[in-house]
Amino acid sequence: MKLIKQITDLNKAINKENELGFVPTMGGLHKGHEYLIKESKKKCKKTLVSIFVNPTQFNNKDDYNNYPRDLKKDLKILKGLKVDFVYLPTIRQIYKEKKLPKIILKKSQRILCAKFRKGHFEGVLNVLNRFVKLISPKIMFMGEKDYQQYILVKDFIKQIYKTSVYPCKTIRDTNGVALSSRNVLLKKVDLKNSGLIANKLIKLKRSLYTQDRSNSIGLKKSKILIQKTKSSLIEKFNVKIEYLECRNLIDLSTDLYNKPFKLFVSYYLNDIRLIDNF
């Protein structure tokens, strides 16, 4: 495993790699990241993992400062997975180039997390634009837990680069909650409750699939089911729910007429923000 900290060393290391898999991370690695890396190793000759806590995608300074960081543990995991390259850039390295065009989301894209986290996805697209320009990977691997992020990144990257963006399934804990770096910030009781919430939403998704989505009556019943579940979760777990809604998988619009869909949720357990989709 080669550790890379300078752009000059990065260029030397990957200059002749035509089939490079790229797994961008902010550290705090868990089984979900491990799955992305294993998929990259299956589909690409070499794999590069970056660890970079990107300041531009945080709309809350405390959230940035408190984001879980444990580089020693992360490197041990990556070494065990036999990753080829690990890139550990500084903020100055990544944002040295000032000439890249400003990223502005369309009105139709300012939904779900983009509605509640101003500037978040602009920051994500900005940093991944810079990474892909530097690395030129064949495939970039992203988890479906952040499905909105995956859709935005996929559509953005394909307009500029030959890199394809490959989605990987959400990896869950034994209690049903989606694995996330922020889970380590949860108290034991909150972690338990997040699992209970996940399982209630999984049941809700199953119920929604039984509704007839070919007419307005079935869609109205679905909305009623969602609202009842939302009220129940707020009352039982004392959570603040930013959104709980269905979006189709094609363009994330609310058009669900006979289209595949996911149930999206964002909520706070105390001060910790969690997102998921089912």
Side-chain angles (χ1 to χ4, degrees):
M1 184 175 82
K2 185 176 181 61
L3 285 179
I4 303 170
K5 296 183 179 182
Q6 301 295 330
I7 290 178
T8 51
D9 294 331
L10 175 70
N11 293 334
K12 289 178 184 177
I14 65 173
N15 184 43
K16 296 181 180 180
E17 299 296 341
N18 297 320
E19 295 190 28
L20 186 66
F22 174 42
V23 182
T25 84
M26 294 203 298
L29 302 185
H30 51 69
K31 296 292 183 182
H33 295 109
E34 291 183 27
Y35 184 81
L36 299 179
I37 293 165
K38 289 175 182 177
E39 286 297 292
S40 177
K41 288 172 70 68
K42 285 180 188 176
K43 299 180 183 300
C44 302
K45 287 185 178 180
K46 297 286 182 70
T47 293
L48 183 150
V49 176
S50 65
I51 298 178
F52 178 68
V53 184
N54 175 38
T56 69
Q57 70 187 68
F58 287 83
N59 60 324
N60 183 304
K61 188 176 181 180
D62 289 338
D63 189 22
Y64 172 73
N65 291 333
N66 295 328
Y67 193 84
R69 295 167 171 85
D70 191 339
L71 183 58
K72 186 177 180 181
K73 180 182 177 183
D74 290 342
L75 292 178
K76 184 178 180 180
I77 290 171
L78 295 175
K79 188 175 182 180
L81 291 169
K82 298 181 180 180
V83 168
D84 299 287
F85 309 106
V86 179
Y87 183 34
L88 307 171
T90 62
I91 293 173
R92 184 178 180 182
Q93 277 182 47
I94 295 300
Y95 287 102
K96 186 177 181 180
E97 185 174 349
K98 307 290 186 182
K99 296 179 182 179
L100 295 182
K102 186 177 180 180
I103 296 167
I104 301 174
L105 295 188
K106 300 174 184 176
K107 185 178 180 180
S108 61
Q109 295 173 319
R110 294 197 291 270
I111 58 172
L112 302 173
C113 282
K115 181 179 178 180
F116 292 92
R117 298 189 69 188
K118 186 177 179 181
H120 168 67
F121 286 122
E122 290 89 340
V124 171
L125 295 175
N126 187 346
V127 75
L128 289 180
N129 184 19
R130 293 166 185 272
F131 268 119
V132 173
K133 188 176 182 182
L134 280 172
I135 297 167
S136 298
K138 179 182 180 182
I139 307 174
M140 178 163 61
F141 295 82
M142 305 192 77
E144 286 192 348
K145 183 185 80 74
D146 298 302
Y147 192 82
Q148 182 182 15
Q149 175 175 276
Y150 156 69
I151 291 291
L152 288 171
V153 171
K154 174 179 69 70
D155 292 346
F156 178 82
I157 293 297
K158 75 178 182 182
Q159 295 176 30
I160 309 172
Y161 305 101
K162 294 181 180 179
T163 298
S164 61
V165 182
Y166 186 85
C168 296
K169 68 180 182 180
T170 301
I171 304 300
R172 299 186 178 276
D173 204 339
T174 53
N175 66 353
V177 69
L179 294 182
S180 169
S181 300
R182 285 187 174 87
N183 287 0
V184 300
L185 302 174
L186 293 170
K187 296 177 182 178
K188 191 173 181 179
V189 64
D190 291 331
L191 187 58
K192 179 182 177 182
N193 285 338
S194 66
L196 295 172
I197 290 169
N199 281 285
K200 284 185 178 294
L201 294 176
I202 289 169
K203 290 178 182 177
L204 172 60
K205 175 67 179 293
R206 290 173 185 157
S207 296
L208 294 173
Y209 260 116
T210 66
Q211 302 301 315
D212 184 357
R213 287 178 290 113
S214 64
N215 58 67
S216 59
I217 296 174
L219 292 172
K220 186 175 181 180
K221 288 181 178 178
S222 295
K223 288 182 179 179
I224 292 172
L225 279 173
I226 292 171
Q227 188 56 49
K228 284 184 176 178
T229 302
K230 183 178 179 179
S231 298
S232 174
L233 293 176
I234 292 171
E235 182 180 352
K236 185 170 184 178
F237 297 102
N238 191 31
V239 294
K240 175 188 174 184
I241 298 178
E242 286 185 333
Y243 60 78
L244 177 61
E245 57 186 273
C246 289
R247 298 269 173 173
N248 75 51
L249 301 188
I250 301 166
D251 59 7
L252 293 183
S253 77
T254 54
D255 177 14
L256 304 180
Y257 283 95
N258 294 322
K259 289 184 173 66
F261 69 93
K262 278 181 176 288
L263 177 68
F264 293 87
V265 66
S266 166
Y267 65 95
Y268 282 87
L269 267 175
N270 292 320
D271 294 325
I272 308 302
R273 185 177 187 271
L274 301 175
I275 65 169
D276 207 340
N277 61 76
F278 306 89

